[in-house]
Each structure stands twice: as C-alpha cells, then as structure tokens.
Amino acid sequence: MDIIRKLREEFGITQGQAENTVRLLDEGNTVPFIARYRKEMTGSLDDQIIRQLSERLTALRNLEDRRTQVRTAIAEQGRLTDALAAKLDAAQTQTEIEDIYRPFRPKRRTRASIAKEKGLQPLADIIWGQKLIGTPEEAAKAFVDSGQGVDTVLDAINGAMDILAEQISDDADLRKLLREETIKCGAIVSKKTKDEPSVYEMYYDYRE
C-alpha cells in the first residue's frame, strides 16, 4: 500500500502536503509546532487535520506491519499462493487481514480437528460439494468405524458438520459478507430479564 497516496486521497491534500507532514511527524515534531511554525511545508494545514493525519498514519503503518507478519507466517507454512497474496494486498482493514489469516493460524485441538483425525473430512467434502448419492445418512454409513470412535451414522454426520462449521467460519469472503449484512440489516433488541422495577426505566407523568 502506498501510504502517502492513501493519506492524500483520504484527506484531500496534495502529494507535497502529505509527504512534508509525514516527514515532520517522523522527525518528532509535535502537532502544535507543525501547525504553527511549519505552515509553508504543510500548506497551512490546521492542527486538527494534522492530528487526524498522524493518527491515520499510525493506523496505516500498523496495518502494513500486520500484513507483512501474516504474509510471512503463511509463507513459512508453504501455503502462500499468488491468489492469497493478492487478497492480502487488497485488504484495507485489520479485520480483513485477520480473516484471511484465520485458516492458517495455529489452533488448539477443536471438534473439527478431532473429526478430521477420525477420517471424516471426505464425508464433509461430499456434503459440501453436494455430491450425495441418496441421503446424508446413507453416505455416512461408509464412515462408521468404532475403532476411530465413530460408532453410529449420527456420529459421522455430526463430525462432518463440525468440520463444515469450522470451514465456513474460516472463509474470509463469507465472514466479510456476513459482517456487511449484519451491519446493514441487523437490529439490537433488549428486554428485561426480570419482571421488576429497574433504575433504567423511564416514566412520564401525564397529569397536568
């Protein structure tokens, strides 16, 4: 990410204003000093804009640092593809980067990992790919194995569901879509848990 260009676009300032202000901040100058004594370099940006720019500069640099850390961590696992690298480059927020990293983050043993150890990943793949011949129960019969701790058809299906739940949860694109839909359409509802007076209730006296 070109941080200077990003600042220029977000604050509607020139390239020179962005570069000079960042340079002055990096040299350790305070916001009031820059606003008062370096007007010729900043194009007379006021202290409020400079302070906002300073905060945004820090946020963008932190974002780039995290992007590099995640890229390195995935590469060390030998799983960094061109498509994944492009997705990381396109991420504009820390949340997006963390969503991308989620499937690659070291995890403790989960219900999904236990189900995989029991050999249920192929069943999850069959269900996910809608490649069923017959019912899910019929497909699951082939995965019943008491030696693996899969004693019944229901055990096999539940294990496959655990795998799919984690798989869906780790999908960065789906997490982004759900987050956007929640923000756009979600509603927060609150209600009393006990049927008794509360200090937070409001009363209006209709008597004149």
Side-chain angles (χ1 to χ4, degrees):
M1 178 189 294
D2 185 336
I3 291 179
I4 295 296
R5 180 178 62 81
K6 188 77 173 172
L7 292 172
R8 177 171 55 80
E9 292 174 352
E10 290 186 6
F11 288 91
I13 57 180
T14 67
Q15 182 81 9
Q17 284 177 303
E19 289 177 346
N20 289 338
T21 304
V22 169
R23 185 181 306 115
L24 288 165
L25 289 167
D26 285 344
E27 290 172 354
N29 297 291
T30 65
V31 170
F33 175 85
I34 295 172
R36 177 171 296 183
Y37 300 110
R38 292 294 181 267
K39 293 180 182 293
E40 75 286 353
M41 296 182 67
T42 67
S44 297
L45 295 179
D46 62 35
D47 58 346
Q48 183 177 357
I49 294 297
I50 296 172
R51 185 170 289 104
Q52 291 173 353
L53 188 148
S54 176
E55 292 171 354
R56 185 60 175 146
L57 174 64
T58 299
L60 289 172
R61 284 176 170 171
N62 289 340
L63 181 68
E64 286 306 296
D65 288 344
R66 186 56 181 159
R67 194 194 313 274
T68 300
Q69 292 168 4
V70 168
R71 189 192 307 276
T72 301
I74 298 175
E76 287 174 348
Q77 296 178 28
R79 302 168 70 184
L80 183 65
T81 64
D82 290 342
L84 197 54
K87 187 175 287 189
L88 270 173
D89 288 338
Q92 296 297 310
T93 66
Q94 184 104 0
T95 300
E96 289 181 60
I97 290 176
E98 297 303 331
D99 282 349
I100 294 169
Y101 184 43
R102 186 181 176 90
F104 308 95
R105 186 189 301 277
K107 296 176 181 176
R108 290 181 291 182
R109 233 164 148 248
T110 63
R111 286 166 50 177
S113 64
I114 293 170
K116 290 176 183 178
E117 292 168 5
K118 293 178 178 179
L120 295 173
Q121 180 68 60
L123 177 59
D125 292 340
I126 290 171
I127 296 172
W128 180 255
Q130 296 294 293
K131 299 175 182 177
L132 291 168
I133 299 175
T135 66
E137 289 77 12
E138 290 170 337
K141 287 179 182 178
F143 296 89
V144 174
D145 183 349
S146 296
Q148 291 282 1
V150 186
D151 298 323
T152 66
V153 166
L154 185 59
D155 288 338
I157 291 176
N158 284 340
M161 289 171 61
D162 287 335
I163 293 171
L164 290 176
E166 186 170 277
Q167 195 169 297
I168 292 168
S169 178
D170 285 346
D171 188 312
D173 293 332
L174 185 55
R175 290 177 70 85
K176 181 179 180 181
L177 174 63
L178 290 174
R179 189 180 297 110
E180 291 172 348
E181 286 300 309
T182 300
I183 292 172
K184 183 169 66 175
C185 306
I188 297 176
V189 179
S190 64
K191 60 181 180 179
K192 292 195 299 184
T193 57
K194 296 180 180 179
D195 189 18
E196 58 186 41
S198 168
V199 296
Y200 298 106
E201 291 185 19
M202 297 180 65
Y203 297 93
Y204 182 79
D205 190 344
Y206 289 93
R207 294 174 299 178
E208 294 184 358

